[in-house]
Amino acid sequence: MSQGTHPIQLEHVSKRFGSFRVLDDISLDLPKGEATVVLGRSGTGKSVLLKHIVGLMSPDSGRVVVQGQELTVLPAADVALVRRQIGFLFQNAALFDSMSVGENVEFPIRRHTQLSDRSVRAQAREKLALVGLEQDYDKLPGALSGGMRKRAGLARAMALDPAILLVDEPSAGLDPITSEEIDDLLIRVKKELGTTQVVVTHNIPSARRIGDTLVFLHKGRVLVRGTAAELERSKHTIVEQFMSSEAGG
């Protein structure tokens, strides 16, 4: 399988915490430029899967290959280089409250590039414009609504133009209208920038909107994978319950 087709590959990945097997022999190839939505009940390893892709966790067994690089054997310095190609939108946006919105977006650019101060600010403003927050550059995160914080978090995640975007529960804490706006932003980022996305969510309407492919995890394993329409035809009881719900359980 070529790197161009599958920028993210997991091969027989397993992970335990004590006696609890969170991931159990997971194998997935995630296509370039598509959005893969990961579904499943709480505690089934969805966020742990994201942390393996970004190199924050290592599997007990198996291989994690990102952009052609096997994270499980790379030195820490090389993992950091791969990580620069990955943006991560955390569930709570994880903004630095003592920094302005603009400074939050500037942070990864200043940390990982040698751009001039003027160029850093221009790039940060460009990313804030992408998410509709160009007028909020100087505000502190505490002055933003939940939806605006998510937008700011997305701008920061996209600051270095990553090839891959990982998103953990983009709808968490948001009303349905704001949630749909965040979905629309993710779809636009994918279409305009060709970004490969992996999105963890419990929100089934959101999963249908965002996902080219849906992956359902159950007890640490891939129970079913396919389009939203294919999952809706699944005969697995738990998948049927999820797909017929609004929140997903």
Side-chain angles (χ1 to χ4, degrees):
M1 285 165 279
S2 71
Q3 173 189 340
T5 305
H6 299 293
I8 302 170
Q9 298 170 279
L10 293 94
E11 300 176 3
H12 304 291
V13 170
S14 293
K15 182 70 174 180
R16 285 181 179 271
F17 295 128
S19 61
F20 180 54
R21 183 171 288 187
V22 184
L23 301 178
D24 186 4
D25 197 31
I26 295 277
S27 290
L28 286 170
D29 297 320
L30 306 186
K32 183 177 181 179
E34 293 190 8
T36 301
V37 173
V38 184
L39 300 169
R41 298 184 66 179
S42 297
T44 53
K46 303 183 299 299
S47 294
V48 171
L49 187 72
L50 292 186
K51 289 175 181 176
H52 276 74
I53 294 170
V54 79
L56 293 174
M57 286 185 179
S58 295
D60 297 330
S61 59
R63 301 171 72 236
V64 178
V65 182
V66 177
Q67 296 291 77
Q69 301 290 312
E70 185 179 347
L71 300 187
T72 34
V73 298
L74 282 181
D78 292 335
V79 171
L81 289 176
V82 175
R83 221 178 260 151
R84 284 182 55 177
Q85 303 178 64
I86 303 172
F88 202 139
L89 177 56
F90 294 90
Q91 184 172 336
N92 61 359
L95 299 172
F96 299 114
D97 289 332
S98 60
M99 293 182 179
S100 72
V101 170
E103 288 169 338
N104 265 278
V105 181
E106 290 173 13
F107 182 79
I109 307 171
R110 294 189 186 281
R111 184 174 180 183
H112 295 293
T113 76
Q114 300 297 318
L115 293 176
S116 67
D117 186 67
R118 182 176 180 177
S119 295
V120 168
R121 289 177 177 273
Q123 190 162 322
R125 288 189 182 280
E126 175 188 304
K127 293 303 182 286
L128 285 170
L130 177 71
V131 301
L133 292 180
E134 59 267 42
Q135 303 302 317
D136 301 290
Y137 196 93
D138 295 316
K139 289 184 179 177
L140 288 173
L144 304 183
S145 67
M148 292 169 75
R149 288 176 69 94
K150 280 281 172 70
R151 287 172 179 269
L154 178 58
R156 190 179 64 182
M158 296 300 299
L160 295 172
D161 297 313
I164 296 167
L165 178 63
L166 309 181
V167 185
D168 195 4
E169 297 287 1
S171 303
L174 302 181
D175 63 80
I177 293 174
T178 305
S179 174
E180 195 165 334
E181 290 172 350
I182 298 298
D183 291 347
D184 290 342
L185 268 176
L186 292 173
I187 293 166
R188 184 153 66 87
V189 163
K190 182 187 71 173
K191 287 182 177 178
E192 293 181 5
L193 304 179
T195 311
T196 301
Q197 299 180 2
V198 187
V199 181
V200 165
T201 186
H202 283 91
N203 186 313
I204 299 306
S206 179
R208 288 195 187 99
R209 282 192 295 270
I210 296 171
D212 297 295
T213 301
L214 277 55
V215 174
F216 195 97
L217 295 187
H218 184 57
K219 295 184 177 179
R221 305 195 71 136
V222 176
L223 186 61
V224 63
R225 174 182 181 171
T227 63
E230 287 169 338
L231 262 69
E232 283 162 2
R233 295 195 294 269
S234 172
K235 299 304 179 185
H236 292 283
T237 301
I238 190 169
V239 178
E240 286 183 309
Q241 289 173 345
F242 251 74
M243 296 306 294
S244 64
S245 73
E246 288 299 300

